[in-house]
Amino acid sequence: MQAAAVPAPRSDPLLRVEGVSKAYHNASETTPVFEDLDLELNRGEITCLVGPSGSGKSTIISLIAGLMVPDTGRVSFAGQDVAELSDTERSHLRSRKIGVVLQSGNLLPFLTAAENIAIATRLAGATPIPAQVAALLDQVGLADRADHLPRRLSGGEAQRAALAVALANGPELLLADEVVGQLDSTTARFVVRALEQACRERGLSVLLVTHSAEVAALGSRVVRLIDGHLEAA
């Protein structure tokens, strides 16, 4: 049976994934991840991406962020083909326009939560303002953890701190890979509501990878990655 097409968002999407295929290669074999994938992300919306472990959700995040390039097809941000950018230009795009939260390794271990936010702000070309750093930590429920090093944070707290870091550059697009995976349901809802506020107030677009049906239901729409295809959920 043919997979149901993912309905297109409103016009003028911020991000387009068009006919993208990706496979991993080693000396002896090629392992396809997905083929001919299409996805659009609209400004001001939270799109939740769900699917089994190993289905390629993290690969989609990496392709959109320009951390890898597709084998075929096109990933375009605000009309610009990301693969056509140099490594420096892609790095600049991530520091200025795209916030990325991966499942681990998001924080510099020798800096406090507040200092991690401050350095992300500097990398984006802005001067960190203490009140704004404090506001970001409060937004993710970590107002009392500003001076904590990552090793003093729980797994869930570290993920929330990483989210605050990803929002520090005022991105247009936030890519969050299981950012609420280690949170209890109440805190997860709190974080998603904070993202919704950012979407409403400044048109932030969010792609949120999650295994939680409850969290996915809080988004603007849900797409499911199964057997290399995206379907409306």
Side-chain angles (χ1 to χ4, degrees):
M1 186 174 75
Q2 185 175 3
V6 177
R10 296 188 299 270
S11 59
D12 189 26
L14 175 66
L15 190 286
R16 292 181 188 268
V17 175
E18 301 172 281
V20 163
S21 300
K22 186 64 182 177
Y24 292 113
H25 309 272
N26 60 35
S28 60
E29 62 180 354
T30 297
T31 304
V33 183
F34 40 69
E35 294 183 357
D36 200 28
L37 210 66
D38 295 310
L39 178 66
E40 294 184 354
L41 301 180
N42 214 38
R43 300 175 190 270
E45 291 185 349
I46 298 177
T47 300
C48 292
L49 175 61
V50 301
S53 296
S55 59
K57 302 186 299 299
S58 295
T59 301
I60 292 177
I61 292 285
S62 295
L63 287 167
I64 292 174
L67 296 169
M68 60 176 64
V69 296
D71 296 334
T72 61
R74 171 186 170 98
V75 177
S76 56
F77 178 87
Q80 172 67 59
D81 188 341
V82 176
E84 292 180 350
L85 301 175
S86 67
D87 289 343
T88 299
E89 288 170 331
R90 286 198 291 269
S91 178
H92 181 84
L93 181 66
R94 287 190 295 274
S95 67
R96 303 294 178 93
K97 301 290 186 179
I98 300 176
V100 183
V101 189
L102 303 176
Q103 293 187 48
S104 62
N106 297 287
L107 301 175
L108 295 174
F110 50 85
L111 297 180
T112 66
E115 289 168 342
N116 268 279
I117 293 172
I119 197 169
T121 304
R122 290 191 183 95
L123 289 172
T127 300
I129 299 172
Q132 293 176 345
V133 172
L136 276 170
L137 287 168
D138 183 62
Q139 186 177 352
V140 296
L142 292 177
D144 58 346
R145 298 290 192 270
D147 297 327
H148 284 48
L149 291 170
R151 67 173 180 268
R152 295 183 58 201
L153 301 174
S154 69
E157 288 171 343
Q159 281 295 80
R160 282 186 281 159
L163 175 59
V165 170
L167 292 171
N169 63 351
E172 296 179 40
L173 172 63
L174 176 69
L175 305 172
D177 193 354
E178 287 293 349
V179 69
V180 296
Q182 300 184 55
L183 307 182
D184 61 77
S185 59
T186 299
T187 307
R189 285 195 297 272
F190 173 82
V191 169
V192 175
R193 297 306 183 201
L195 292 177
E196 286 181 330
Q197 181 179 355
C199 290
R200 289 194 305 270
E201 292 179 351
R202 52 189 179 85
L204 176 68
S205 178
V206 178
L207 180 61
L208 178 63
V209 173
T210 180
H211 283 96
S212 168
E214 181 180 4
V215 170
L218 299 174
S220 307
R221 65 185 183 125
V222 181
V223 293
R224 186 180 301 277
L225 181 61
I226 298 179
D227 297 330
H229 300 283
L230 281 174
E231 305 175 5

